[in-house]
Amino acid sequence: MTETDVPIGPLLGVVLGVLALAGAGVAYAGRLGVGRAVLTASLRAAVQLAAVSVIIVVVLRHGLLTSAFIGLMYTVAALTAARRVGDGWSAWWIAAAAIAAGVAPVLTLLLASGLVPLKGISVVPIAGILIGGAMTATSLAGRRALDELRTRHGEYEAGLAIGLMRRDAALEIARPKAATALVPALDQTRTVGLVTLPGAFVGVLLGGASPVQAGAIQLLVLIGLLAVESLAVLVTIEAICTRYN
């Protein structure tokens, strides 16, 4: 065991259980309405990471399995974001299109430029980070856009009354609020190295790379995430406002 290894055993299980119960307890005591969700999310994370830990070695050794695994990540991300955006196939297609629109061009650029080697061990984590960022941005933008349109429906109708097209009237209402979905990514990028040392930086550093190399990879990830999430938010807003009635 090295200095950076976490001991696997009963102690780890106990600490994780205490943390999950603490999070759920605080949510329940504060009437936040997500106490059960904290517990189920924690349990799902444990089960899913345990499964991934078993199969990831095999996946990374075969190009076809690597592609299938990335496809699975994308599908799950789209389904997760769709539940936040709305109900039915229309919500799924909006989420799927937004995530793909953000991730596809950025990941293609990183691979085509050679900055990310075309190897499973490199592609899977980078793709996972980008897909996860796009999922979060799509969920936040979609939920905030729809909430704003429902809350300010009278202003939307006023826009129609003065001659605005449905899409334009909806955009005037939803766009400013939905754009705040980019705030977490912006804050993380602005404060990197000062407030937090993100996972890519720490992981590469612990893997034996120099601090300069770790910083370069983290910078690539953060700025790539900004591009991914900006595209995902734009597509989400456009899709929702175009269909809104």
Side-chain angles (χ1 to χ4, degrees):
M1 180 182 295
T2 67
E3 294 181 356
T4 57
D5 287 340
V6 174
I8 307 299
L11 179 60
L12 175 62
V14 170
V15 171
L16 290 174
V18 169
L19 291 173
L21 289 172
V26 169
Y28 178 78
R31 298 181 181 180
L32 302 179
V34 293
R36 179 177 296 180
V38 170
L39 289 177
T40 56
S42 300
L43 181 60
R44 282 186 59 175
V47 172
Q48 289 164 190
L49 285 175
V52 169
S53 299
V54 172
I55 67 173
I56 194 68
V57 175
V58 177
V59 168
L60 295 181
R61 289 176 179 172
H62 300 84
L64 186 59
L65 290 179
T66 298
S67 299
F69 191 73
I70 293 174
L72 175 63
M73 289 192 292
Y74 165 72
T75 302
V76 173
L79 290 172
T80 301
R83 287 199 296 269
R84 305 297 184 187
V85 174
D87 298 320
W89 280 106
S90 61
W92 190 88
W93 282 113
I94 290 174
I99 294 172
V103 173
V106 174
L107 185 58
T108 299
L109 174 61
L110 296 182
L111 295 176
S113 66
L115 290 173
V116 175
L118 195 58
K119 298 178 180 179
I121 191 65
S122 301
V123 176
V124 168
I126 294 295
I129 291 171
L130 298 181
I131 291 171
M135 176 188 71
T136 301
T138 299
S139 298
L140 291 174
R143 174 61 65 87
R144 290 173 183 176
L146 289 171
D147 286 347
E148 198 74 352
L149 285 167
R150 294 188 189 104
T151 302
R152 301 170 58 187
H153 187 74
E155 295 178 48
Y156 167 76
E157 291 184 335
L160 297 180
I162 62 174
L164 292 179
M165 301 294 291
R166 293 184 182 276
R167 169 187 170 276
D168 296 331
L171 281 173
E172 288 295 321
I173 301 299
R175 184 162 42 200
K177 190 70 172 182
T180 61
L182 294 173
V183 169
L186 288 169
D187 286 348
Q188 184 181 30
T189 304
R190 288 175 179 145
T191 62
V192 64
L194 299 177
V195 178
T196 61
L197 293 177
F201 179 89
V202 175
V204 172
L205 197 61
L206 295 179
S210 70
V212 173
Q213 289 174 316
I217 291 174
Q218 184 60 67
L219 187 61
L220 188 66
V221 168
L222 286 174
I223 296 179
L225 271 174
L226 282 178
V228 166
E229 295 189 24
S230 296
L231 286 166
V233 168
L234 177 61
V235 171
T236 302
I237 297 172
E238 284 286 345
I240 288 175
C241 291
T242 299
R243 298 172 60 90
Y244 185 74
N245 187 356

